[in-house]
Amino acid sequence: MSDRSLSSAWLASWTSRVAETLEAMTDEFERRHGFPPGVNEVRRADSADQAAARTLARDSLVPADLVTFCDSIGEVAWADVGNGCFLDPAADVLLRFKHYGTVDVGAGQKDRGLVIGSNGGGLSYVAGPGGMIHRTRTASLDEPELDRVADDLRQFLELLEGSLTRFVTNGDPGCL
């Protein structure tokens, strides 16, 4: 395992840091905005999430880090960070794959990826088979135009954490 690979220990540390920041944000949310916050959490994986992660692991399209992530984290839901940020439960990723298939992330439809979440503004996050994370430029997945946002899932999670911190500090989540 490389030092960039995800481990359950790294994910636990990330979750702890993010939970503290989310708590600080939601503690002040209603006072600042005049209405209660939505769901802003990183939910730990339960047995159903872990079973779905094992099913994902059987598919060669899925990067190993995504399986590790889904085995540890059931869902990321940050309804009040910018437009929102959502990383879907493994069961939802599987269901979308069964109904809609994969998304072209490379030239000539050779590289295929799975939609793993969205930014809450209609743009989707796609994990490529090599582990790179892409974001669509439009809401359509029919012929998506994608931008690479991270080289791997760990870098993507670090970018999300940075966006959360910026949002809590100055109200700007950045471009994610």
Side-chain angles (χ1 to χ4, degrees), residues 27-112:
D27 283 350
E28 294 291 317
F29 191 89
E30 191 165 3
R31 184 185 61 73
R32 285 183 174 185
H33 301 286
F35 56 92
V39 175
N40 295 282
E41 68 178 359
V42 177
R43 183 179 59 77
R44 297 184 63 76
D46 60 21
S47 59
D49 296 313
Q50 292 168 337
R54 285 190 297 277
T55 303
L56 277 173
R58 290 187 215 125
D59 192 325
S60 62
L61 294 171
V62 180
D65 281 350
L66 182 59
V67 175
T68 301
F69 175 84
C70 291
D71 194 52
S72 296
I73 295 176
E75 179 177 20
V76 172
W78 299 349
D80 298 311
V81 178
N83 289 331
C85 179
F86 306 92
L87 297 181
D88 298 330
D92 290 1
V93 173
L94 281 169
L95 185 62
R96 191 179 304 107
F97 172 63
K98 287 178 184 176
H99 286 218
Y100 303 106
T102 57
V103 175
D104 178 24
V105 296
Q109 297 186 347
K110 292 180 183 176
D111 293 332
R112 310 294 289 170

Side-chain angles (χ1 to χ4, degrees), residues 126-168:
V126 179
M132 286 184 237
I133 306 298
H134 305 267
R135 184 188 57 230
T136 59
R137 292 183 190 161
T138 65
S140 174
L141 290 170
D142 294 332
E143 292 183 26
E145 293 180 30
L146 299 156
D147 293 314
R148 185 167 89 185
V149 294
D151 293 335
D152 55 38
L153 190 55
R154 180 173 172 161
Q155 182 184 31
F156 181 63
L157 294 172
E158 290 167 343
L159 290 169
L160 290 181
E161 182 179 2
S163 289
L164 173 61
T165 301
R166 269 191 313 280
F167 182 74
V168 170

